[in-house]
């Protein structure tokens, strides 16, 4: 992995120190897209339905039954979903991305590139609602409850891009790679009536890389239509799991760890009685694939040139 990062760093730096660099033709790209979580980022919702409780309802090690609309279900968070232990339980989301590019050679075949990207997952997954026992001073009462979860990724990147037919100024494929500085956040929310409980994770900083490619089509002077794809390796370096009792994952806490490194952690999210239990986190890769469309703008072509 370190060799891969060194290679990426070299392809970023070497072109910038060549004697024939141009740096006289800037362009700016803005795009919208769909992001699909990969590896341990994706997973089923961490909230599952279990049968209406009878007697001691905290038997959450029981395998959940198949969903049957004729049965009254309650909804509680259980460790059988492997949330945080094995994955982050998120689905497809939307993405906003952009880039500033500058030519390195006079034909604009090689470009230095600065990128930003923001992805918000679970955009198309509905919250889950049901009836759930809730502790009060008089014992447990059944209340209406809604659960939701989210995961966001924001990154800045530095890299190199190659566009072999850009000299035609009509149609060109391009591909490239960047070294990224990523920030991740997540939350779990349990809402009941006018009140809610939330567990906030992050923001957590990680180093990663991204590979991208696409097609540019000139539609008017100074403007291209662009379509492409990008694959982010979000947490190649600086993975971490906090193993102290003070870092236990509980509702009401903020700045919790994403626990993406292998190791032990404490949590009571799976125990409505509030007792912290010990869990063992798997090493998790926060990767995602994005498909996008957008526009390229060339300020030098859009700005009228002064007559001499």
């Amino acid at each position: 992995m370190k060799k891969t990062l060194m290679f990426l760093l070299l392809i970023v730096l070497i072109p910038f120190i060549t004697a024939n660099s141009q740096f006289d033709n800037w362009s700016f790209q803005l795009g919208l897209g769909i992001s699909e979580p990969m590896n341990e980022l994706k997973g089923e919702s961490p909230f599952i339905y279990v049968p209406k409780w009878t007697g001691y309802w905290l038997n959450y090690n029981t395998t959940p039954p198949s969903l049957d609309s004729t049965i009254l279900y309650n909804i509680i968070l259980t460790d059988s979903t492997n949330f945080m232990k094995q994955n982050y339980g998120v689905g497809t989301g939307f993405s906003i991305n952009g880039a500033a590019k500058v030519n390195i050679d006079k034909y604009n075949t090689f470009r230095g590139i600065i990128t930003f990207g923001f992805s918000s997952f679970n955009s198309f997954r509905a919250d889950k609602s049901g009836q759930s026992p809730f502790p009060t001073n008089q014992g447990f009462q059944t209340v209406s409850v809604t659960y939701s979860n989210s995961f966001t990724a924001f990154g800045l990147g530095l890299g190199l891009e190659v566009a072999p037919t850009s000299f035609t100024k009509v149609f060109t494929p391009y591909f490239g790679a960047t070294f990224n500085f990523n920030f991740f956040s997540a939350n779990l929310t349990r809402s009941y009536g006018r009140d809610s409980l939330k567990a906030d994770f992050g923001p957590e900083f990680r180093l990663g890389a991204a590979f991208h490619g696409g097609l540019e089509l000139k539609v008017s002077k100074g403007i291209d239509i662009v379509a492409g794809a990008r694959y982010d390796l979000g947490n190649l370096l600086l993975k971490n799991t906090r193993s102290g009792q003070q870092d236990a994952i509980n509702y009401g806490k903020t700045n919790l760890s994403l626990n993406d490194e292998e190791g032990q952690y404490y949590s009571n999210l799976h125990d409505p009685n509030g007792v912290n239990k010990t869990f063992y986190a798997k090493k998790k890769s926060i990767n995602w694939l994005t498909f996008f469309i957008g526009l390229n703008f060339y300020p030098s072509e859009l700005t009228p040139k002064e007559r001499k």
Side-chain angles (χ1 to χ4, degrees):
M1 192 63 68
K2 290 183 179 180
K3 291 181 178 180
T4 301
L5 290 176
M6 287 299 295
F7 173 74
L8 288 172
L9 188 59
L10 285 174
I11 66 173
V12 169
L13 293 178
I14 289 177
F16 286 97
I17 59 176
T18 57
N20 62 340
S21 295
Q22 301 294 305
F23 306 115
D24 59 359
N25 185 15
W26 284 86
S27 66
F28 299 92
Q29 180 178 300
L30 183 63
L32 298 173
I34 297 295
S35 291
E36 185 67 26
M38 309 296 288
N39 302 98
E40 288 76 34
L41 180 57
K42 69 179 178 180
E44 296 298 322
S45 171
F47 313 110
I48 64 172
Y49 289 105
V50 298
K52 181 179 180 182
W53 66 288
T54 54
Y56 187 62
W57 65 280
L58 190 55
N59 184 22
Y60 57 80
N61 289 320
T62 302
T63 302
S66 59
L67 297 184
D68 185 343
S69 60
T70 64
I71 301 175
L72 177 61
Y73 287 90
N74 291 310
I75 180 170
I76 56 175
L77 179 65
T78 79
D79 59 14
S80 63
T81 59
N82 291 319
F83 173 76
M84 194 57 61
K85 294 188 303 182
Q86 301 289 335
N87 61 65
Y88 296 108
V90 299
T92 305
F94 74 90
S95 172
I96 301 173
N97 59 78
K101 308 178 184 183
V102 63
N103 61 315
I104 295 174
D105 63 299
K106 66 179 181 179
Y107 297 109
N108 201 25
T109 302
F110 294 93
R111 308 161 175 172
I113 181 171
I114 303 171
T115 66
F116 80 86
F118 174 81
S119 293
S120 179
F121 297 93
N122 269 6
S123 303
F124 309 102
R125 179 181 287 175
D127 297 342
K128 286 195 172 182
S129 299
Q131 299 294 315
S132 181
F134 188 76
T136 67
N137 293 333
Q138 290 75 37
F140 285 103
Q141 293 183 359
T142 300
V143 298
S144 297
V145 61
T146 299
Y147 286 103
S148 62
N149 68 306
S150 68
F151 193 104
T152 60
F154 174 77
L156 298 172
L158 298 172
L160 176 68
E161 190 171 276
V162 181
T165 61
S166 62
F167 63 90
T168 65
K169 298 186 181 297
V170 176
F171 177 84
T172 183
Y174 67 90
F175 56 91
T178 56
F179 183 81
N180 288 3
F181 307 88
N182 295 319
F183 298 86
F184 301 115
S185 299
N187 70 64
L188 292 173
T189 302
R190 184 182 194 270
S191 301
Y192 47 97
R194 297 181 179 180
D195 299 317
S196 65
L197 294 171
K198 183 182 288 189
D200 286 310
F201 299 82
E204 295 260 283
F205 174 65
R206 300 290 187 267
L207 294 176
F211 301 90
H212 65 273
L215 296 171
E216 298 172 343
L217 175 64
K218 182 72 69 177
V219 292
S220 66
K221 186 176 182 179
I223 299 177
D224 297 344
I225 290 178
V226 59
R230 165 174 164 153
Y231 193 88
D232 278 86
L233 306 169
N235 62 336
L236 292 177
L237 295 177
L238 304 184
K239 291 184 180 75
N240 179 55
T241 286
R242 301 180 199 166
S243 58
Q245 280 278 7
Q246 69 275 15
D247 298 308
I249 299 174
N250 304 150
Y251 280 117
K253 279 193 172 184
T254 60
N255 194 33
L256 292 167
S257 173
L258 288 170
N259 292 348
D260 51 348
E261 181 59 273
E262 185 177 14
Q264 174 184 289
Y265 69 97
Y266 296 94
S267 174
N268 76 348
L269 293 182
H270 313 287
D271 186 348
N273 281 334
V275 178
N276 284 331
K277 295 188 176 182
T278 303
F279 298 91
Y280 199 82
K282 170 186 176 181
K283 180 181 289 187
K284 295 179 281 292
S285 296
I286 302 177
N287 303 334
W288 65 99
L289 174 64
T290 302
F291 297 96
F292 64 89
I293 58 174
L295 296 174
N296 284 349
F297 303 93
Y298 297 84
S300 61
E301 297 181 21
L302 292 172
T303 304
K305 295 182 179 180
E306 295 182 4
R307 294 182 179 179
K308 295 183 179 180

